[in-house]
Amino acid sequence: MKLTINQKSYELDVDIRTTVLDVCREHLGLTGPKKGCDHGQCGACTVLINGRRINSCLTLAVMHEGDEITTVEGLGTPEQLSPLQVAFIDEDAFQCGYCTSGQLCSAVGVIDELKHNWPSHVSPHVEGHIDITDAEIAERMSGNICRCAAYPNIVRAVKRIAVQTLCDEQKSHPNPRARNTKKSVMVQAEEQV
Amino acid sequence: MKTFAYYRAEQPQQASHLLASHSGKFIAGGTNLLDLMKLQLETPIALVDISRLPLTDIEKTPDGGLKIGAMVTNSDLAADAQIRKYYPVLSKALLAGASGQLRNKASTGGNLLQRTRCYYFYAPDSACNKRKPGSGCPALAGKNRMLAILGISEHCIAQHPSDMAVALRALGASVQTQLADGASRQIDLADFYLKPEDHPERETVLAHGELITHVILPPPVAGQQTYKKIRDRASYAFALTSLAMIAEVKAGSSIDEQRFNHVQLAFGGIGVMPWRNPAVEQLLTSQPANHALFHAAADLLLQDAKGSGENDFKISLTRRLLVSALSDALKGALS
């Protein structure tokens, strides 16, 4: 089977039962995603497939031929960290680091979902604009658990980059409705300071 | 995980045909099936991959309802503009379930068919009438805090864990399927699930190889739509009890004599299937709406409810949830 991971193409001959997680870790030396529970309950295995965050332990490699898979290794390198990775360091958003690969990939997914104005369980209304609050970030990240309890700082880091990313989006948007969005995003940022 | 033959289907009828020829199971999102296969609770000899079937659209039906493709992910369904506008209870229910990662992969059809999370069902070495008919039900006298109080039998008290299915039941949804011979049928969700009775291993009316292709929603009805879920944690936990409600308060009712015009209610966490009782809804629209009526409705809903020890609390908790939700609906209409 042929898989594309972090923009590289791999030709693989693996057991049909191999999950995307095991392909990464056991066959390709991509040990970023972690096997925390192997049952989709902890989120440490979170990767992005076609830009969407999923639990890589709960999907078969064979089902993803032709898909674009991104692991934490594809988000940035030690020499060139992504802004989100820098934020995790600045905000002290990890201790042992075991959940962190999954937190990062999940956060990338969260930010994309916010860009598409997806509501969440804590959104006051399922329609209309979604405000980026601590409660929204915590709810959206609830599929990633952290035994070290770095949660407050994870929320801080993700929220900062979410606000920044959505702000940057609005700057390039000619739509007057989007200007309202930018304003509320800026209000959130001010509240944070 | 036991090994299996793998087939990928391009078209729905091909999928049914593949399963009929090779036995085994369909796999869509895989978020429940692979979990079960890792524990060898499911050991299909073949998997027919239906994840790429062209069943990802949400289209209007001629009568003004919606037709949801079975491969639409839970996330996409919850975020759909039409669902959010006309069927918000469905969006709210979906968002109350699982995690973002799981919702991104789970399919509409798969969510309906997810299995119970009963501790004994999930323990491969345990007796369980659902997995091994006739072996017994340890839950009756054991760990049953999360299990059902309605629709149960002495053979099985497993609860249906889905939030989405509860909202669909409240909305009066039906399921469209495709059989191996090409025939298709539409099954009201009210008739889709089976009570355990003496055959807990049979959970739905689906025949082997029968593929869910769509979920059909009737035209939207008037009324406030809410989903309330009570659980141990603020997120990422199953319901102890939950309620999907569509409630229309009669316009122009005075504060002293408010009435419900129309009510649709379904409960999660407490039933062997999403639980809807039309008699409760009829009662609620037959008289002025007040606390006495709400409690009478709860009496009717819970008259056959039976706790098995650790889940006895669900009876009073469900009563309070219903009364509180109905009160809120009245207050909401006044403002």
Side-chain angles (χ1 to χ4, degrees):
Chain A
M1 67 181 85
K2 191 189 251 168
L3 285 185
T4 307
I5 305 180
N6 299 329
Q7 305 189 316
K8 267 180 81 174
S9 204
Y10 299 92
E11 193 63 58
L12 295 159
D13 183 20
V14 298
D15 188 295
I16 198 80
R17 295 167 284 182
T18 313
T19 59
V20 166
L21 180 62
D22 283 337
V23 156
C24 290
R25 295 185 56 79
E26 308 297 327
H27 296 271
L28 299 175
L30 291 168
T31 52
K34 302 287 183 273
K35 183 173 285 191
C37 73
D38 209 27
H39 284 275
Q41 293 175 24
C42 75
C45 68
T46 307
V47 300
L48 297 150
I49 299 197
N50 298 335
R52 292 239 175 137
R53 54 179 177 147
I54 61 123
N55 294 319
S56 62
C57 69
L58 275 192
T59 193
L60 298 171
V62 69
M63 294 177 70
H64 292 284
E65 289 191 286
D67 289 336
E68 298 275 333
I69 300 171
T70 306
T71 70
V72 66
E73 288 94 338
L75 297 185
T77 62
E79 302 76 35
Q80 225 175 345
L81 297 167
S82 74
L84 182 66
Q85 287 168 316
V86 171
F88 263 59
I89 296 168
D90 288 349
E91 301 291 349
D92 190 28
F94 58 93
Q95 293 179 38
C96 78
Y98 196 77
C99 72
T100 310
S101 310
Q103 302 279 1
L104 288 164
C105 285
S106 193
V108 171
V110 163
I111 293 168
D112 192 60
E113 291 162 17
L114 283 165
K115 264 198 232 167
H116 288 91
N117 206 47
W118 282 11
S120 82
H121 174 63
V122 301
S123 305
H125 311 281
V126 286
E127 279 191 286
H129 170 69
I130 309 295
D131 285 329
I132 304 174
T133 59
D134 286 359
E136 283 282 2
I137 301 292
E139 162 60 25
R140 291 161 191 265
M141 293 292 293
S142 72
N144 293 85
I145 60 180
C146 172
R147 188 63 179 84
C148 300
Y151 298 117
N153 294 346
I154 294 170
V155 169
R156 222 166 260 134
V158 175
K159 187 179 171 192
R160 175 143 67 80
I161 302 302
V163 167
Q164 193 176 292
T165 308
L166 267 75
C167 243
D168 292 344
E169 280 278 300
Q170 303 320 316
K171 279 188 191 125
S172 56
H173 213 293
N175 184 344
R177 248 182 65 222
R179 277 184 239 127
N180 282 333
T181 305
K182 177 191 176 182
K183 186 180 174 190
S184 76
V185 164
M186 288 308 288
V187 164
Q188 293 299 319
E190 279 157 22
E191 277 176 350
Q192 215 189 350
V193 165
Chain B
M1 208 188 285
K2 294 224 161 142
T3 197
F4 47 85
Y6 170 80
Y7 305 98
R8 197 178 287 159
E10 311 288 327
Q11 291 301 327
Q13 203 181 330
Q14 181 204 9
S16 306
H17 186 74
L18 278 167
L19 202 68
S21 327
H22 298 285
S23 196
K25 296 202 83 129
F26 294 124
I27 184 165
T31 52
N32 191 224
L33 183 57
L34 289 173
D35 189 28
L36 295 166
M37 285 172 69
K38 287 184 186 204
L39 295 166
Q40 294 192 6
L41 301 174
E42 291 271 12
T43 53
I45 60 170
L47 286 183
V48 175
D49 180 356
I50 54 172
S51 65
R52 300 192 198 205
L53 290 182
L55 296 172
T56 53
D57 291 329
I58 302 173
E59 309 161 295
K60 272 212 152 77
T61 59
D63 69 349
L66 281 183
K67 188 170 170 176
I68 303 163
M71 289 308 120
V72 173
T73 64
N74 289 182
S75 289
D76 284 328
L77 188 54
D80 180 78
Q82 296 175 102
I83 299 286
R84 286 155 82 176
K85 189 174 172 75
Y86 297 111
Y87 306 92
V89 65
L90 178 55
S91 183
K92 292 175 190 188
L94 281 158
L95 293 171
S99 68
Q101 291 93 316
L102 290 169
R103 293 190 298 268
N104 280 347
K105 203 69 167 53
S107 68
T108 307
N111 188 317
L112 290 174
L113 295 176
Q114 69 180 289
R115 313 297 300 280
T116 185
R117 304 308 195 280
C118 169
Y119 176 82
Y120 301 96
F121 175 76
Y122 253 83
D125 296 332
S126 168
C128 168
N129 283 331
K130 200 180 268 292
R131 276 188 290 103
K132 288 180 242 164
S135 62
C137 175
L140 286 165
K143 294 186 218 270
N144 53 47
R145 184 170 178 271
M146 297 300 287
L147 304 185
I149 55 172
L150 287 166
I152 61 177
S153 76
E154 56 182 344
H155 301 275
C156 186
I157 57 171
Q159 97 289 29
H160 196 278
S162 169
D163 293 298
M164 182 197 78
V166 175
L168 288 177
R169 185 76 178 87
L171 286 165
S174 53
V175 169
Q176 192 161 302
T177 67
Q178 162 108 60
L179 293 136
D181 61 5
S184 101
R185 61 170 172 158
Q186 196 163 322
I187 310 165
D188 193 310
L189 210 54
D191 307 318
F192 183 76
Y193 294 108
L194 297 169
K195 286 190 183 153
E197 290 169 338
D198 61 355
H199 53 77
E201 72 280 8
R202 283 190 286 127
E203 298 179 346
T204 72
V205 298
L206 293 178
H208 178 71
E210 188 170 4
L211 173 70
I212 298 174
T213 58
H214 299 88
V215 168
I216 318 263
L217 297 178
V221 296
Q224 272 269 44
Q225 298 189 20
T226 9
Y227 189 72
K228 290 193 194 292
K229 181 175 182 180
I230 302 183
R231 47 181 166 175
D232 291 327
R233 291 185 295 280
S235 186
Y236 201 15
F238 290 102
L240 296 172
T241 181
S242 72
L243 167 59
M245 182 172 83
I246 304 165
E248 190 193 13
V249 178
K250 201 177 174 79
S253 322
S254 66
I255 296 172
D256 306 312
E257 208 191 272
Q258 284 189 290
R259 295 177 88 98
F260 285 110
N261 241 1
H262 187 74
V263 170
Q264 287 171 217
L265 301 167
F267 293 83
I270 59 171
V272 297
M273 61 183 75
W275 200 261
R276 187 170 174 185
N277 186 333
V280 171
E281 298 169 12
Q282 277 154 35
L283 178 64
L284 285 168
T285 53
S286 67
Q287 294 166 45
N290 53 39
H291 260 68
L293 180 67
F294 302 162
H295 278 283
D299 291 340
L300 189 55
L301 173 73
L302 296 163
Q303 76 184 9
D304 296 323
K306 188 164 184 279
S308 302
E310 292 185 355
N311 64 357
D312 297 350
F313 72 92
K314 288 193 181 191
I315 299 174
S316 52
L317 187 62
T318 303
R319 171 181 296 273
R320 293 200 297 275
L321 174 62
L322 176 59
V323 171
S324 144
L326 291 166
S327 307
D328 286 350
L330 283 189
K331 280 189 213 135
L334 281 174
S335 54

